[in-house]
Amino acid sequence: MTKRTARVAGLMLGAALLAMPAGSRAQAPAPQKVLRVAPHADLKTLDPVFASIVITRMHGLMIYETLFAWDSKLQPQPQMVDSFSTAPDGLSWSFRLRPGQKFHDGQKVRSQDVIASLKRWMARDTVGGKTAEYVDALEAVDEDNFTIRLKRPMAMLPFALGSAVGQIPVIMRESEAASDPMKPVTEVIGSGPFRFNRAEWRSGARVVYDRNPDYVPRAEPADGLAGGRVVKVDRVEWIIMPDAATAAAALQTGEIDIWEQPSQDLVPVIGRSRDVKVERYSNLSNQAMLRPNHLHPPFNDPRARLALAYATQQSDFLAAGYGDEQWWRTCESYFVCGSPNGTEAGSAPYAKPDLDKARQLLAASGYKGERLVLNSTYDIAPIGRMAEVAAGQLKQVGFNVDLQFADWGTVTTRQQNRGTVAEGGWNLFVTTASGATMQSPVTNIGTNMTCGGKSWAGWPCDEEAERLRGAVVDAADDTARAQATDALHRRLAEVQPYRVLGQYDQPYARRSNVTGMLQAPVMLFWNLEKN
């Protein structure tokens, strides 16, 4: 890395730090310990119940909490809940909130806040929507106790209430939670270990979180998202550095402490520094995917979606996105190879491309060369590179692909547009999701095929797939659940809610004086020490 590159990095970091008003700088004492992080993307949407994108989920976990939390083995543990019990018939669950919990404005966390928050989450999320199918009533007994009554037993309820994937079930104040779930909340008042510093937020430059001095962590040791969320720094600053060389230089000189998603081609470079450690923070590989829009031609026809599968070569996408094969592997499982649900049942035909078959299916779908918009970004470089591979491979079989690049915030905003291309909509996008998100039929946002436009962007609809997904949740034991998962996977292979592009491991890089990183679905910033 050249001195000039390092100097540019320093100038960019300095500009970000000076972006706040001079008056604010004069009034605010310099925190003792500031953890500076280069995140994978800029923060645009503040509401983790509205948006399922990872950067918003990371933001949500800084400032909000959930009733339960997944530990490092993805098992649910009480978090905001102090105690709970289940009726013998499994149709009623009673919960008591942990005492002393307060929102950042000083208001007490109440059962009424919980009820409103859960209703909002059930209207937005894959796991929440499935939970809603079982819920008969949510009842506040008093400010500290509430009850969930079910239509039929759901043993996975604590797992669902602790979900750390998709749109997460954070507990908001009743005033925000009771708002229209189809519109994002803009007032950010949580009860978690950090407070969002809106005054110092500079879009495109910096996001600031201050330690919440009133937060009382659980007594248990930190384990994944569960246990005591003990904050050991005074402030966390996300410094937005879209240029990989700039981030690498800043990490090596100590101007940032963590690079959340280092560029794969720079991992060998930064890994040679004795002051930098390159590690993984998740036990499960992540998944890459090509998502079609099921609302409009040609991908409202399953034959066009099958054409995607026959036209694409996973290894080409993964090599372009993630470089060295040590970081990726091909896998046809919607539920992640290596996970407890990692079946590839029904997917064998798509392990190798069949371009003639793709062309036949595309013609049978009625597609006649209409322009198709593939929406992508280079803010997250692997996604941009894989989008270029997608455009090239799809053109080989007759898709007329218009590859359009924008910043990540614009891409994710456009993903919510259900209109045609002429109305500002889209046909395809490449994205990735954590292994924790995709490893279960309950949490996998892409295989939720609930009809009525209630599923994730792309809005697939298949009643048979949903019946089979319900059978997984209702299974009485592990053997029955595995059989139900196989049956579901065979159906998914037939209808292709999205094209699986394989899976990869995303390392992170830290300065050697930063310790305490937890194994979790996303990067967490409690338990971290900076010496």
Side-chain angles (χ1 to χ4, degrees):
M1 196 61 60
T2 66
K3 291 182 179 179
R4 181 179 179 278
T5 305
R7 188 162 55 251
V8 171
L11 290 171
M12 287 187 67
L13 180 63
L17 297 177
L18 292 172
M20 61 188 289
S24 298
R25 293 199 306 273
Q27 295 171 10
Q32 277 189 318
K33 289 188 178 181
V34 179
L35 188 72
R36 295 187 174 93
V37 180
H40 70 277
D42 190 15
L43 179 68
K44 299 287 188 180
T45 304
L46 302 179
D47 183 352
V49 183
F50 180 80
S52 64
I53 54 178
V54 174
I55 194 68
T56 296
R57 195 178 316 144
M58 289 170 57
H59 159 81
L61 289 169
M62 295 284 280
I63 58 177
Y64 295 106
E65 291 200 288
T66 52
L67 297 171
F68 288 79
W70 293 351
D71 63 22
S72 57
K73 296 180 180 178
L74 304 183
Q75 297 301 306
Q77 307 297 338
Q79 187 60 36
M80 298 183 78
V81 165
D82 185 48
S83 60
F84 67 100
S85 60
T86 312
D89 61 4
L91 295 178
S92 179
W93 293 64
S94 297
F95 304 88
R96 181 172 181 81
L97 292 172
R98 195 156 57 93
Q101 296 180 99
K102 295 188 295 183
F103 288 108
H104 298 156
D105 63 354
Q107 293 185 50
K108 177 182 177 178
V109 177
R110 309 163 304 142
S111 295
Q112 290 85 346
D113 302 303
V114 171
I115 300 302
S117 296
L118 293 182
K119 288 181 178 178
R120 188 167 190 270
W121 167 67
M122 288 189 291
R124 292 289 310 174
D125 179 58
T126 294
V127 183
K130 179 56 66 175
T131 303
E133 295 176 16
Y134 289 76
V135 171
D136 185 41
L138 302 169
E139 300 172 348
V141 178
D142 54 35
E143 288 193 341
D144 300 310
N145 296 273
F146 65 96
T147 300
I148 298 180
R149 303 192 187 281
L150 303 177
K151 301 170 187 174
R152 59 187 191 275
M154 184 184 180
M156 297 181 69
L157 185 60
F159 177 85
L161 296 178
S163 177
V165 299
Q167 287 110 324
I168 54 179
V170 299
I171 304 306
M172 300 178 169
R173 300 183 304 183
E174 184 181 16
S175 55
E176 282 84 46
S179 65
D180 183 352
M182 298 301 123
K183 296 180 180 179
V185 164
T186 57
E187 187 68 31
V188 183
I189 304 293
S191 63
F194 291 94
R195 293 175 175 174
F196 175 60
N197 191 326
R198 184 182 287 272
E200 298 189 33
W201 176 33
R202 296 293 179 269
S203 181
R206 183 177 65 170
V207 188
V208 178
Y209 303 91
D210 297 316
R211 181 179 65 85
N212 177 9
D214 299 324
Y215 180 76
V216 180
R218 295 188 67 91
E220 301 92 339
D223 180 16
L225 284 158
R229 299 181 176 182
V230 179
V231 177
K232 300 179 180 180
V233 295
D234 297 293
R235 170 179 288 202
V236 176
E237 296 180 355
W238 293 355
I239 309 299
I240 310 305
M241 292 184 169
D243 179 70
T246 300
L251 181 70
Q252 291 174 299
T253 59
E255 294 168 45
I256 60 171
D257 304 296
I258 296 173
W259 189 5
E260 187 215 349
Q261 291 189 12
S263 175
Q264 297 282 358
D265 58 339
L266 291 178
V267 164
V269 176
I270 60 177
R272 286 197 290 267
S273 172
R274 66 180 181 179
D275 296 322
V276 173
K277 303 294 182 183
V278 179
E279 300 169 333
R280 294 176 174 87
Y281 62 82
S282 176
N283 291 324
L284 276 180
S285 295
N286 304 309
Q287 187 179 88
M289 72 185 84
L290 176 61
R291 180 71 160 185
N293 188 333
H294 295 238
L295 296 182
H296 307 293
F299 299 116
N300 59 343
D301 190 313
R303 290 171 293 188
R305 302 196 299 270
L306 284 169
L308 294 180
Y310 282 114
T312 46
Q313 174 82 34
Q314 286 189 353
S315 58
D316 291 345
F317 285 88
L318 296 168
Y322 302 102
D324 195 316
E325 197 169 353
Q326 68 169 312
W327 298 110
W328 57 263
R329 63 172 290 189
T330 59
C331 168
E332 296 291 341
S333 176
Y334 282 101
F335 304 129
V336 183
C337 294
S339 81
N341 304 300
T343 177
E344 293 180 279
S347 294
Y350 318 119
K352 294 181 179 179
D354 186 335
L355 302 189
D356 288 338
K357 186 72 171 177
R359 293 184 185 103
Q360 292 168 10
L361 286 163
L362 189 56
S365 74
Y367 177 67
K368 300 188 184 303
E370 295 86 353
R371 182 174 67 100
L372 303 177
V373 170
L374 171 53
N375 201 25
S376 195
T377 184
Y378 264 114
D379 285 359
I380 305 172
I383 288 178
R385 293 195 293 264
M386 287 190 289
E388 289 193 344
V389 173
Q393 292 191 355
L394 297 183
K395 286 177 181 178
Q396 291 182 22
V397 298
F399 286 103
N400 177 15
V401 178
D402 178 8
L403 178 55
Q404 299 182 4
F405 285 100
D407 64 88
W408 184 233
T410 300
V411 170
T412 56
T413 299
R414 189 174 184 180
Q415 285 174 9
Q416 305 305 315
N417 187 330
R418 302 186 186 215
T420 64
V421 168
E423 297 168 323
W426 55 274
N427 299 106
L428 293 159
F429 65 85
V430 173
T431 193
T432 61
S434 70
T437 299
M438 310 311 275
Q439 60 87 30
S440 168
V442 179
T443 60
N444 186 308
I445 58 175
T447 59
N448 172 15
M449 302 189 75
T450 305
C451 296
K454 297 180 180 179
S455 52
W456 178 52
W459 308 284
C461 165
D462 189 82
E463 292 180 354
E464 176 62 10
E466 282 305 291
R467 184 189 70 79
L468 293 168
R469 191 163 70 101
V472 174
V473 180
D474 291 336
D477 54 42
D478 290 344
T479 300
R481 189 168 295 112
Q483 292 172 347
T485 300
D486 269 4
L488 169 61
H489 201 276
R490 291 182 188 279
R491 178 62 180 176
L492 295 173
E494 293 173 359
V495 297
Q496 291 284 318
Y498 60 88
R499 169 58 174 149
V500 179
L501 299 180
Q503 57 195 58
Y504 67 96
D505 294 313
Q506 174 62 58
Y508 80 100
R510 62 174 173 85
R511 299 284 297 177
S512 57
N513 65 328
V514 175
T515 58
M517 185 67 69
L518 295 164
Q519 292 273 326
V522 298
M523 182 171 283
L524 307 175
F525 299 99
W526 58 83
N527 202 58
L528 290 180
E529 294 189 73
K530 181 179 176 180
N531 300 315

